[in-house]
Amino acid sequence: MKKTILVFSALIIALLILFRLSRYSYLSNDISVELTIGSIAVIFFFVGIYINKRTLHKEKLPHTQIDHKKIEQLGISKREYEVLVHISKGLSNKEIADTLFVSESTIKTHVSNLLVKLDAQRRTQAIKKAKELRILAI
Amino acid sequence: MKKTILVFSALIIALLILFRLSRYSYLSNDISVELTIGSIAVIFFFVGIYINKRTLHKEKLPHTQIDHKKIEQLGISKREYEVLVHISKGLSNKEIADTLFVSESTIKTHVSNLLVKLDAQRRTQAIKKAKELRILAI
DNA sequence: ACAAATTTGGTACTTTAGTATGAGCCTGTA
DNA sequence: TACAGGCTCATACTAAAGTACCAAATTTGT
């Protein structure tokens, strides 16, 4: 936030300076008009890049949108998805069963269904596929 | 690549057009000089943002620097790391053995050593930890 | 060349994972 | 209310995964 304000302030100041500069070049009427315009273009080009980099950095890292539509498309139920999340955390079936207060048999059933729905042969493969499909945060 | 070239071509063309435009405003000597400069600034500002977005998108996703120092620190050997990469791809021990042209026993040994070095109880946990430690691309 | 580390592989087990099948319980809805 | 879908759980397997221990062949650094 602070940086954005600072950058915009700098942007406005630069704009004002360039206005002054343009007046001089206008009075001296030679190729410096083209030069001025060129430098303005280059400066604002890089200003754009800089600002974009600032904003993207703060958004891209925590921003890993989960494709809820995809989850629905694959027919993965709420509970199955919960299990999938726990699998990706590296938990065993027994551990997942304990955290969700159900039996290990239940988890096995969920896992088995998940593997079919994700077209995976192993839980590790399920993790990889789920991340590729953007249904799990990478 | 193609898009970058296309964008840069458009940029050059825009630059040329603005040069023509600036000549007119210079002849009619009024506030249109400021207007022209303003529009140039705005246009190139957004061009900068656009190009940055293009390049960042293609670099940021596969760009996840691997901490080679960490791998060394953990005492993970070259071959063990290879196995780790294959594990994260969702391959079974047998499949890894086949792709690396060694026996399944060998892979089991490597995996066992990896689990100790990564302080993991399961291969899924090893994947998670390895990604957290930045020794595997997320 | 020698020691140290790495890689390879085997046997013998134990533990997880995963499959197949069947069944009871709830809940939203036609 | 009947029925589908989702959640639960069990049994009985089969298949992987992982452990422990040992040992030989290779590679690497000094």
Side-chain angles (χ1 to χ4, degrees), chain B residues 64-85 113-114 116-118 126 129-137:
Chain B
T64 307
Q65 278 298 13
I66 283 157
D67 194 344
H68 295 283
K69 276 168 258 165
K70 201 84 175 186
I71 297 171
E72 217 180 333
Q73 276 172 28
L74 294 170
I76 294 171
S77 73
K78 211 164 186 170
R79 201 59 158 172
E80 284 166 355
Y81 184 71
E82 271 190 278
V83 172
L84 179 59
V85 170
N113 291 331
L114 271 170
V116 172
K117 289 171 184 177
L118 285 168
K129 286 206 174 189
K131 291 187 176 185
E132 282 173 354
L133 291 167
R134 302 269 164 206
I135 65 176
L136 269 184

Side-chain angles (χ1 to χ4, degrees), chain A residues 7 11 13-15 17 19 31-32 34 41 69 87 90 96 108 112-113 117-119 124 129-130 133:
Chain A
V7 167
L11 204 149
I13 289 164
L15 200 65
I17 288 168
F19 275 164
I31 53 138
S32 62
E34 269 105 352
K69 276 168 258 165
I87 287 175
I96 298 171
K108 282 191 178 187
S112 228
N113 291 332
K117 289 172 183 177
L118 285 168
D119 188 31
T124 48
K129 286 206 173 189
L133 291 167

Side-chain angles (χ1 to χ4, degrees), chain B residues 12-81:
Chain B
I12 290 161
I13 289 164
L15 201 65
L16 291 171
I17 288 168
L18 285 164
F19 275 164
R20 287 298 106 199
L21 216 136
S22 70
R23 189 139 305 176
Y24 285 119
S25 71
Y26 155 69
L27 288 170
S28 62
N29 70 8
D30 56 3
I31 52 139
S32 61
V33 176
E34 270 106 352
L35 238 159
T36 306
I37 290 171
S39 49
I40 290 165
V42 170
I43 288 166
F44 278 85
F45 175 71
F46 283 106
V47 167
I49 287 177
Y50 176 76
I51 287 178
N52 193 242
K53 209 162 253 173
R54 281 273 128 232
T55 53
L56 266 187
H57 250 284
K58 307 257 156 157
E59 283 175 23
K60 267 291 139 113
L61 291 182
H63 167 76
T64 307
Q65 278 298 13
I66 283 157
D67 194 344
H68 295 283
K69 276 168 258 165
K70 201 84 175 186
I71 297 171
E72 217 180 333
Q73 276 172 28
L74 294 170
I76 294 171
S77 73
K78 211 164 186 170
R79 201 59 158 172
E80 284 166 355
Y81 184 71

